[in-house]
């Protein structure tokens, strides 16, 4: 089996067994239960637009948040516990190691995002006189844009966690939480009532692809010496 | 055949010299001991050989190539670093299984057979399903050793393999290392500051002090080269000690003589026989209860080097 897939499978299995997985499922259920019924009570915008906005925002937000939780598990812990040094002595290339972990994080985080999308759709339709489904651009968003952004988040955070020391990583985690997740949380008000067109979703997809290309370029700077000398 | 070759290796960290022009080689099947006090540069040397750090100048080659530049070459190398490289959350079996896959053991049945054989080899068959986090330090070290050889490497790097273990576990790990060398012909690079361990299992050693190699030879040769011949004498009556000291110091074959309690320690020239010393004392009416030639231990050689290094 490809070494990248061996790493991805190991990380995936590891994540599934952790408490963070349960927490993530709980968040998916909790946010879906708390937000989906709101769609039916709103009167300020057409029900379809409200539903699209909610699913667009919640799926992306939860996907990124879960990626944040899982990335810490697979990158930080390995470095803190010193396992990474032994891994770097195996025939695994540094790029395969990084990418395997990114894939290992992206798959479960995306599954949580899909669970959120499914739950919001189901709960939103309970007791509804009409069937409300996401519009084609939002379906595209769920299928392609969300996993791309989860991969971007996992890739960037993983890269930073490999390159930076443990203290810098703790600071980085706080920065990400306050500069990324808080603004994202409040961004929901800004997009409420806004129609999500192909243009918007396409723009996001383009942004995700650009970010993936940037990360791919950044991985050239991954170095074993930097990783080893920044172990706690 | 040379399996590990270090040529004029120098490493600086932020301008500070950590390794200064070190060179040595390890031949096929050898157990090589790399000795030195904490902070001497042992781990840095090992990291450079393993391709984890880049040398400032010089080369570190394994099988004639740099490990850091050749992913596939690393399948021939096993590593047990200061950290065991084990995942606390995985079972003993799953840890070995993961590393076996990374080293290219793709056949599931063969991998299972190999892992079970190894768990038996290190005496952990009955703990194979236990999470590593629950194992004692000794068990972890043994499992770490099993992990390091799961792919049957030709060269094995061990960093303080018995550090922190109880005496029984130390003996067992040393036994495993000797078995690997004797039965499987594995070349072993052993980083250690445990003189006893190195003396017991290594064929050749290098002593590192302040980033420089101060001695490099077989244990026997080092003792012969660096240890001056000594004779310990116990007099039948200690009242003759001063007289004996005077007589012995006047002999050409004696380079130094010191009183130690009721006895004397005599440092002789290389070809001096104990009988020459004994005759000189007997002729002067000094009775000798015991006379014995003492070989300088590796510990003495090591301490001399380390102390001299500190004085420099």
């Amino acid at each position: 089996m490809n070494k990248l897939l061996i790493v991805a499978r190991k990380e995936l299995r590891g994540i599934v067994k952790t408490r963070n997985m349960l927490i993530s499922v709980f968040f998916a259920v909790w946010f879906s239960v708390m937000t989906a019924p709101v769609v039916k009570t709103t009167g300020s915008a057409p029900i379809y637009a409200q539903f699209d906005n909610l699913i667009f925002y919640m799926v992306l937000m939860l996907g990124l948040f879960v990626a944040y939780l899982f990335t810490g598990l697979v990158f930080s812990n390995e470095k803190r516990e010193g396992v990474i040094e032994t891994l770097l002595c195996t025939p695994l290339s540094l790029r395969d190691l990084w990418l395997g972990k990114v894939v290992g994080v992206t798959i479960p985080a995306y599954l949580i995002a899909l669970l959120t999308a499914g739950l919001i759709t189901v709960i939103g339709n309970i007791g509804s006189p009409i069937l409300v489904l996401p519009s084609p651009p939002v379906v595209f968003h769920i299928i392609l844009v969300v996993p791309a952004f989860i991969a971007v988040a996992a890739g960037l955070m993983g890269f930073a966690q490999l390159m930076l020391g443990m203290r810098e990583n703790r600071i980085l985690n706080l920065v990400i939480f306050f500069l990324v997740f808080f603004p994202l949380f409040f961004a929901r008000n800004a997009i409420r009532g806004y129609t999500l067109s192909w243009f918007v979703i396409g723009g996001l997809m383009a942004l995700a692809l650009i970010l993936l290309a940037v990360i791919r370029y950044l991985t050239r700077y991954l170095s074993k010496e930097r990783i080893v000398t920044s172990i706690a | 055949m040379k399996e590990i070759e270090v040529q004029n290796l120098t490493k600086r960290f932020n301008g500070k010299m950590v390794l200064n022009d070190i060179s040595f080689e390890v031949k096929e099947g050898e157990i090589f001991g790399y000795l030195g006090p904490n902070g001497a540069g042992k781990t840095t040397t090992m990291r450079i050989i393993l391709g984890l750090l880049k040398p400032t100048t010089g080369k570190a080659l394994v099988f004639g190539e740099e490990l850091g530049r050749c992913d596939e070459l690393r399948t021939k190398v096993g590593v047990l670093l200061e950290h065991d490289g084990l995942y606390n959350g995985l079972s003993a079996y799953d840890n070995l299984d993961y590393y076996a896959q990374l080293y290219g053991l793709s056949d599931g049945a063969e991998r299972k057979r190999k892992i079970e054989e190894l768990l038996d080899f290190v005496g952990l068959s009955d703990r194979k399903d236990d999470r590593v986090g629950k194992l004692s330090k000794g068990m972890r070290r043994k499992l770490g050793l099993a992990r390091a050889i799961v792919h049957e490497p030709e060269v094995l790097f061990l960093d303080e393999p018995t550090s922190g273990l109880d005496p029984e576990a130390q003996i067992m790990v040393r036994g495993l290392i000797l078995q690997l060398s004797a039965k499987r012909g594995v070349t072993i690079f052993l980083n250690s500051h445990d003189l006893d361990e190195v003396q017991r299992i290594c064929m050749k050693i290098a002593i590192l002090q302040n980033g420089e190699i101060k001695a490099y030879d077989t244990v026997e040769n080092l003792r012969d080269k660096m240890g001056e011949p000594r004779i310990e004498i116990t007099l039948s009556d200690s009242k003759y000690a001063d007289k004996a000291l005077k007589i012995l110091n006047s002999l050409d074959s004696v380079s130094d003589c010191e009183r130690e309690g009721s006895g004397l320690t005599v440092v002789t020239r290389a070809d001096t026989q104990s009988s020459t010393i004994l005759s000189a004392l007997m002729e002067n009416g000094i009775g000798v209860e015991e006379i014995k030639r003492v070989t300088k231990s590796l510990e003495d050689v090591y301490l001399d080097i380390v102390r001299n290094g500190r004085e420099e």
Side-chain angles (χ1 to χ4, degrees), chain A residues 1 3 6-7 9-11 13-14 17 78 81-83 85-94 97 101 223-226 228-229 231, chain B residues 11 13 47 50-54 68 71-72 74-75 77 79 81 83-88 90 94 98-99 101-104 106 111 147:
Chain A
M1 193 194 290
K3 292 191 175 72
I6 294 169
V7 176
R9 197 175 64 174
K10 183 253 167 199
E11 300 302 354
R13 282 181 175 176
K17 289 177 189 169
E78 221 162 59
E81 290 169 9
V83 180
E85 201 175 351
T86 302
L87 274 181
L88 294 177
C89 296
T90 66
L92 201 58
S93 74
L94 193 46
L97 178 67
K101 287 174 178 296
S223 101
K224 289 186 179 181
E225 177 146 349
R226 178 71 195 138
V228 169
T229 51
I231 290 173
Chain B
K11 179 68 181 175
F13 281 120
R47 282 175 169 172
L50 291 170
L52 298 175
L53 297 178
K54 285 182 181 158
D71 292 342
E72 282 312 305
R74 293 199 290 276
T75 54
V77 174
V79 176
L81 300 173
H83 185 277
D84 311 305
L86 301 167
Y87 293 91
N88 287 333
L90 294 183
D94 287 345
Y98 179 51
Y99 279 98
Q101 288 183 64
L102 289 180
Y103 278 104
S106 50
R111 205 166 62 234
R147 178 200 52 68

Side-chain angles (χ1 to χ4, degrees), chain A residues 106-117:
Chain A
T106 303
I107 292 171
Y110 181 53
L111 289 176
I112 295 288
L114 281 181
L115 174 70
T116 310

Side-chain angles (χ1 to χ4, degrees), chain B residues 17-225:
Chain B
M17 184 76 84
V18 178
L19 292 176
N20 186 9
D21 194 30
I22 63 165
S23 299
F24 61 83
E25 58 188 44
V26 184
K27 294 198 176 92
E28 189 180 348
E30 261 182 4
I31 304 183
F32 178 79
Y34 200 48
L35 266 171
N38 290 334
K42 300 190 300 291
T43 301
T44 302
T45 310
M46 193 186 257
R47 282 175 169 172
I48 292 174
I49 299 172
L50 291 170
L52 298 175
L53 297 178
K54 285 182 181 158
T56 306
T57 59
K59 280 182 187 171
L61 310 172
V62 180
F63 301 110
E65 291 192 59
E66 289 179 28
L67 276 182
R69 293 186 179 199
C70 187
D71 292 342
E72 282 312 305
L73 191 64
R74 293 199 290 276
T75 54
K76 292 182 175 183
V77 174
V79 176
L80 176 60
L81 300 173
E82 196 180 344
H83 185 277
D84 311 305
L86 301 167
Y87 293 91
N88 287 333
L90 294 183
S91 69
Y93 185 95
D94 287 345
N95 264 288
L96 296 189
D97 191 49
Y98 179 51
Y99 279 98
Q101 288 183 64
L102 289 180
Y103 278 104
L105 274 76
S106 50
D107 181 344
E110 171 64 14
R111 205 166 62 234
K112 185 170 184 281
R113 184 195 63 74
K114 179 88 202 146
I115 292 169
E116 283 177 351
E117 184 188 303
L118 270 175
L119 285 167
D120 190 42
F121 178 64
V122 296
L124 289 172
S125 294
D126 55 336
R127 305 296 300 266
K128 69 174 187 175
D129 296 322
D130 288 0
R131 279 176 51 188
V132 165
K134 288 182 180 173
L135 300 181
S136 69
K137 190 165 181 184
M139 287 176 184
R140 287 182 64 114
R141 214 59 187 150
K142 283 186 263 179
L143 187 65
L145 189 60
R147 178 200 52 68
I149 58 172
V150 71
H151 56 295
E152 297 187 353
E154 292 173 39
V155 178
L156 185 58
F157 288 86
L158 304 171
D159 194 0
E160 310 279 3
T162 58
S163 171
L165 300 186
D166 60 61
E168 198 185 343
Q170 282 186 17
I171 291 166
M172 186 163 181
V173 170
R174 276 182 207 138
L176 293 175
I177 294 169
L178 284 169
Q179 272 191 60
L180 283 173
S181 170
K183 291 187 181 170
R184 304 188 189 192
V186 178
T187 304
I188 296 171
F189 183 101
L190 176 74
N191 244 5
S192 182
H193 56 227
D194 186 335
L195 292 163
D196 183 48
E197 179 170 281
V198 169
Q199 197 160 223
R200 279 168 196 263
I201 63 177
C202 294
M203 300 159 184
K204 207 170 184 182
I205 61 167
I207 299 178
L208 193 71
Q209 164 82 345
N210 298 332
E212 290 178 18
I213 289 187
K214 303 286 186 183
Y216 167 53
D217 213 326
T218 61
V219 177
E220 292 75 22
N221 284 349
L222 270 181
R223 276 195 296 224
D224 291 347
K225 266 196 249 173

